[in-house]
Amino acid sequence: MNIVVVISGNGSNLQAIIDAQQAGQLKSNISGVVSNRPNAFGLERAQKAGIPTSIVDHTDFSDRESFEQSYIEAIDAYQPDWVILAGFMRILTPLFVRHYKGRMLNIHPSLLPKYPGLHTHQSAIDAGDSEHGASIHFVTEELDDGPAFLQGVVPILENDTAESLAQRVHQIEHIIYPEAIRWCEEGRLQWQETHCTLDNQIVEHPHIMTLD
Ligand code: GAR
């Protein structure tokens, strides 16, 4: 199975996927990494692991659709079975979403449906939540809205700042994303137009993982 990982920045989730693959916990071939930012550190991580990379810089395009058309070409050159968005910070149009329907996953740093969009860690602290985390979902045409099938939950501690909480969320992200990809590899996970199934059962509530 080929996966293409799509990034915009640091790429710590990409690193977790690379590490899982190198440790023999994932069978997928990471056939390429595509970034919209030329200086994304994740590109260096990929190159260090011998994974081909492409850059399609969104600032070179006058409109979102022509950028996405080029982005799709860059991704498809690596013949993905699954497209893994790992910190890809662009709002997607239906053109992009439909092209990869049912085979594109995203990780979002909140317990969806809570806190779509940005500043999720501060929002969870400000709301007085006792728990926060990250969600893996199929990408649909709504922002951060595909139903989550897997969530990593972490506690919010009394003195947490957005930064300290983000670090804890990253720890759980690095566990749940390789796990979700394993489910894809094993053919356990499927998208059925409006919902997803795991082992042929409709996912009514996301599967939960914690740090312990
Ligand atoms: C991750 O926390 C991911 O959940 C978030 O960006 C970060 C990327 O970190 N994604 C989103 O906010 C998407 N809406 P990384 O580059 O170190 O993997």
Side-chain angles (χ1 to χ4, degrees):
M1 186 176 105
N2 279 346
I3 62 174
V4 171
V5 183
V6 174
I7 62 167
S8 295
N10 180 29
S12 69
N13 279 286
L14 165 66
Q15 189 67 57
I17 296 165
I18 292 171
D19 291 348
Q21 201 235 18
Q22 290 181 344
Q25 293 156 359
L26 286 179
K27 295 190 188 70
S28 297
N29 171 41
I30 308 169
S31 56
V33 169
V34 184
S35 172
N36 64 308
R37 292 194 184 275
N39 57 356
F41 182 62
L43 290 167
E44 286 180 38
R45 297 179 188 272
Q47 282 151 12
K48 206 167 158 208
I51 301 166
T53 58
S54 302
I55 298 163
V56 181
D57 186 344
H58 63 278
T59 62
D60 291 342
F61 296 84
S62 56
D63 62 275
R64 210 177 273 279
E65 296 228 338
S66 57
F67 159 68
E68 286 191 349
Q69 199 56 60
S70 291
Y71 218 87
I72 286 171
E73 279 168 30
I75 293 172
D76 285 355
Y78 295 121
Q79 303 184 305
D81 295 296
W82 288 84
V83 174
I84 304 299
L85 306 186
F88 182 50
M89 303 307 278
R90 303 294 300 166
I91 291 173
L92 303 173
T93 75
L95 170 93
F96 193 86
V97 174
R98 284 180 197 150
H99 188 78
Y100 297 111
K101 196 168 154 198
R103 56 192 180 108
M104 178 158 63
L105 302 183
N106 183 44
I107 188 160
H108 180 75
S110 79
L111 299 174
L112 290 173
K114 280 188 168 185
Y115 318 126
L118 299 174
H119 312 301
T120 58
H121 311 302
Q122 192 61 53
S123 300
I125 291 171
D126 291 347
D129 293 353
S130 58
E131 290 183 327
H132 184 47
S135 302
I136 316 265
H137 63 96
F138 278 91
V139 179
T140 62
E141 291 179 30
E142 311 302 321
L143 175 69
D144 300 328
D145 192 45
F149 58 83
L150 176 57
Q151 290 185 323
V153 178
V154 298
I156 299 181
L157 306 181
E158 207 175 330
N159 295 323
D160 262 333
T161 60
E163 290 71 33
S164 63
L165 182 54
Q167 272 186 13
R168 198 171 308 118
V169 170
H170 262 114
Q171 279 183 290
I172 195 76
E173 288 189 338
H174 301 162
I175 294 170
I176 62 175
Y177 223 172
E179 178 70 11
I181 294 168
R182 212 166 7 250
W183 293 357
C184 298
E185 286 179 348
E186 292 167 353
R188 298 174 58 194
L189 193 64
Q190 253 118 37
W191 177 248
Q192 316 274 6
E193 293 304 321
T194 55
H195 57 269
C196 67
T197 58
L198 180 65
D199 298 331
N200 298 317
Q201 304 281 323
I202 294 177
V203 179
E204 307 266 12
H205 303 287
H207 186 89
I208 301 291
M209 293 180 79
T210 57
L211 283 173
D212 28 70

